[in-house]
Amino acid sequence: MNPRRLAMLEEMGLTPVWRLRAAAPVSDAPVTTSDDTPDAREALIARMSWQELSEAVPGCTACSLCKTRKQAVYGVGNAKADWMIIGEAPGAEEDARGEPFVGQAGRLLDNMLAAIGLDRQQHVYIANVLKCRPPGNRNPEAEEIARCAPFLARQVELVQPKLIIAMGRFAAQTLLGSGASIASMRGKRHDYNGVPLIVTYHPAYLLRTLADKARAWEDLCFARATMKELCAAETA
């Protein structure tokens, strides 16, 4: 890697994981700014390839969560999927395994997707708003959200999904910049940076609140109908 680019990444708290693990370097795409402001960091992330992004996220030290995580939780699934699932933040099992939506909540998500004919590896890409677990599963802080937001925005840009499903209150509120309740956001087509977005409950919440599974099913049916409309509009 170009020494100037490497120095800039490290100044911004984006030490490539290959530097930490002595693995293969990411690409040498030229950098035109030496500023280390948040805007410059966001601009740098916005130009990253999949390979660069997948190296930068595990090596990120931009907020204090890097000190308590076991590993960053990047994303999983089809990187060119029409569907994108966005959750809140890693829990203990996700932190241990480095994959979003695992354990009981992950199995429930798989069943929810299967109910509308989707497979998590083939048809969807799954990511979280935060890439690192907040200690004790506390709510993320504003600085943590701000530091992680460019990573998620770039993932959405690279995937180019037709539809996003935001799972959980925190994910929905963060993506939509709203303090509204899930109840008031459900059943509507929202927008995230030009991509249609639908809100539903997080699978972990549904494991605790079985009565809302019926509402989550309504949301999935609404999402499926919305996708059909989007696909029909493309071919019209």
Side-chain angles (χ1 to χ4, degrees), residues 102-180:
V102 296
Q104 281 188 295
R107 288 190 290 274
L108 177 55
L109 174 61
D110 290 349
N111 292 336
M112 292 168 68
L113 294 174
I116 56 172
L118 301 178
D119 176 85
R120 72 184 281 158
Q121 295 297 333
Q122 296 182 33
H123 304 120
V124 302
Y125 186 82
I126 304 173
N128 282 319
V129 171
L130 284 194
K131 309 309 182 191
C132 299
R133 181 195 181 199
N137 292 342
R138 63 161 171 76
N139 287 334
E141 297 175 354
E143 179 188 2
E144 296 161 357
I145 296 170
R147 291 293 185 173
C148 253
F151 288 136
L152 180 60
R154 185 57 178 157
Q155 285 178 303
V156 175
E157 289 173 354
L158 289 169
V159 174
Q160 296 182 341
K162 287 186 174 70
L163 182 66
I164 292 171
I165 299 180
M167 292 192 154
R169 177 178 59 84
F170 169 74
Q173 290 178 345
T174 300
L175 292 170
L176 298 177
S178 169

Side-chain angles (χ1 to χ4, degrees), residues 81-96:
D82 289 340
W83 299 75
M84 188 165 182
I85 306 294
I86 299 178
E88 302 176 337
E93 196 160 357
E94 287 83 2
D95 183 43

Side-chain angles (χ1 to χ4, degrees), residues 14-24 26 54-60:
L14 295 170
T15 305
V17 72
W18 62 263
R19 177 82 176 216
L20 304 176
R21 300 177 183 171
V26 296
S54 67
E55 293 286 339
V57 169
C60 180

Side-chain angles (χ1 to χ4, degrees), residues 39-52:
D39 285 346
R41 178 179 180 273
E42 183 173 346
L44 180 62
I45 294 172
R47 298 197 300 272
M48 285 183 174
S49 65
W50 269 122
Q51 181 182 351
E52 290 175 313

